[in-house]
Amino acid sequence: MSGPRLGTGAAPGKLVLFGEHAVVYGRPAVAAGLGCGLGATVEANQGGATLSIPRWGKSGLVVRLAEDRGIEAVARAFRIALQVVGLDAESPVHVTLAGRLPLGVGLGSSAAFAVSVLRGLADYQGVELSIGELMDGAQAVEQVFHGNPSGMDHTVVTHGGCLRFQRDQSPIFRPVECAEPVPVVIASTPRQGTTREAVDGVRARYEAQPGPFERLFDTIAEITEAGIEALAVGDFGALGRLFDLNHGCLNACGVSSVKNERMVNLARDAGALGAKLTGAGCGGAVVAITPDGGQAVERALLEAGFAAFQTVVGA
Ligand code: MEV
């Protein structure tokens, strides 16, 4: 006997190890899938397409497309995802999005939203999405949140693993070899503004001073390539120093807030080998290299009132 029709789809979050922002200007970046993510469950629902994210904000988020209810950007993103699998606002489906991934702090929650909802809807509809169709659909959904994303976030979230990504190169991404899983602590605080605003802010500063910014992005590219070599031989000391250098460049780009600096300094003082902001910045997440003493770093950040957890990347 078969039960009620159900579709499911999942996607991990992502962590940018090197090269965020510079990647928008054609430089390479390295990002890895995270061990936590989002999962979409799709079931039948009378009265049009709805989406609920119980963990969003204080009391959860509900989008009812037929009644035009919910946050506008999320509603637009949901509409696009429905179209990809041949559904629309009137379709009788309900999507619930759940998972342990912190939302809106630069750990890829909008890319994980896009990929998990697309996978769940495709599973519900019995539609086979090719990787290319999934990536194109995710790019369209991401554009709602990010304007002109490099494509790195949904590429990593779709494929998982640790990838070198460069938007103007063919192939656009390739796997990065990691000799050993890298132990890290990730800490976060709410962001001031969106990824789109952070990317637009860098664009405005770039346009005012293109020469220095081009050289800054070249430096970030050099740090990224050195980071790939350090990952390949498991040199955590070099990775830490390169994190510190990359963070300094991101500060120069104008995307490190007072809270980012505080988290980075707390992590370094508690024994991390290096620390940097990760993702768009302006608040959000930082990542610290912690081969020993991850607990002390996590505790220092938690005691200062930040969210923090230990994990490994490149496993
Ligand atoms: C956001 O995770 C990474 C950025 O480089 C934006 C992008 O690549 O689209 C800031």
Side-chain angles (χ1 to χ4, degrees):
M1 208 176 77
S2 66
R5 192 163 145 218
L6 211 64
T8 56
K14 68 100 209 336
L15 182 71
V16 186
L17 295 173
F18 295 104
E20 53 275 89
H21 286 289
V23 70
V24 175
Y25 298 79
R27 283 16 176 234
V30 175
L34 274 176
C36 55
L38 297 178
T41 307
V42 185
E43 56 206 316
N45 173 53
Q46 295 317 312
T50 57
L51 165 73
S52 70
I53 311 177
R55 280 188 51 234
W56 196 298
K58 283 205 173 76
S59 50
L61 170 79
V62 178
V63 173
R64 291 185 212 286
L65 290 182
E67 294 167 21
D68 231 357
R69 233 194 87 185
I71 295 175
E72 206 238 319
V74 182
R76 247 184 314 136
F78 184 37
R79 253 178 228 280
I80 293 170
L82 289 164
Q83 277 161 14
V84 172
V85 297
L87 298 172
D88 61 26
E90 310 301 325
S91 301
V93 288
H94 176 71
V95 180
T96 307
L97 201 62
R100 281 182 42 241
L101 183 67
L103 301 173
V105 295
L107 296 176
S109 56
S110 61
F113 168 98
V115 174
S116 60
V117 169
L118 284 168
R119 282 183 172 147
L121 288 170
D123 185 37
Y124 183 80
Q125 282 291 86
V127 170
E128 200 60 52
L129 288 181
S130 69
I131 286 282
E133 286 167 332
L134 181 62
M135 299 267 285
D136 288 349
Q139 171 91 357
V141 174
E142 274 266 275
Q143 265 162 358
V144 173
F145 297 113
H146 288 355
N148 177 27
S150 65
M152 167 177 65
D153 289 13
H154 70 262
T155 301
V156 174
V157 159
T158 303
H159 292 273
C162 189
L163 303 179
R164 178 192 186 279
F165 178 93
Q166 193 163 5
R167 77 190 291 182
D168 302 328
Q169 213 173 54
S170 178
I172 219 166
F173 67 92
R174 59 176 164 78
V176 167
E177 196 191 316
C178 296
E180 287 182 57
V182 184
V184 296
V185 169
I186 299 174
S188 64
T189 186
R191 279 221 316 245
Q192 299 146 6
T194 60
T195 295
R196 186 178 196 145
E197 284 159 358
V199 170
D200 288 352
V202 174
R203 173 69 62 189
R205 289 185 282 276
Y206 169 86
E207 280 169 4
Q209 307 286 345
F213 266 91
E214 285 292 339
R215 288 189 288 281
L216 195 53
F217 295 148
D218 285 341
T219 303
I220 295 176
E222 204 178 326
I223 293 167
T224 301
E225 300 297 5
I228 292 171
E229 283 169 27
L231 286 166
V233 295
D235 186 341
F236 296 144
L239 278 176
R241 288 189 294 278
L242 293 163
F243 264 31
D244 288 345
L245 275 169
N246 196 163
H247 181 74
C249 294
L250 288 163
N251 192 332
C253 288
V255 292
S256 184
S257 71
V258 170
K259 288 203 169 155
N260 290 127
E261 292 304 311
R262 179 144 163 72
M263 287 189 282
V264 160
N265 286 323
L266 280 166
R268 290 175 186 158
D269 289 349
L273 295 186
K276 67 183 276 289
L277 72 79
T278 179
C282 304
V286 305
V287 53
I289 304 271
T290 53
D292 330 288
Q295 254 176 351
V297 173
E298 183 189 21
R299 197 171 46 243
L301 287 153
L302 287 172
E303 280 172 2
F306 297 106
F309 61 97
Q310 299 182 61
T311 185
V312 291
V313 288

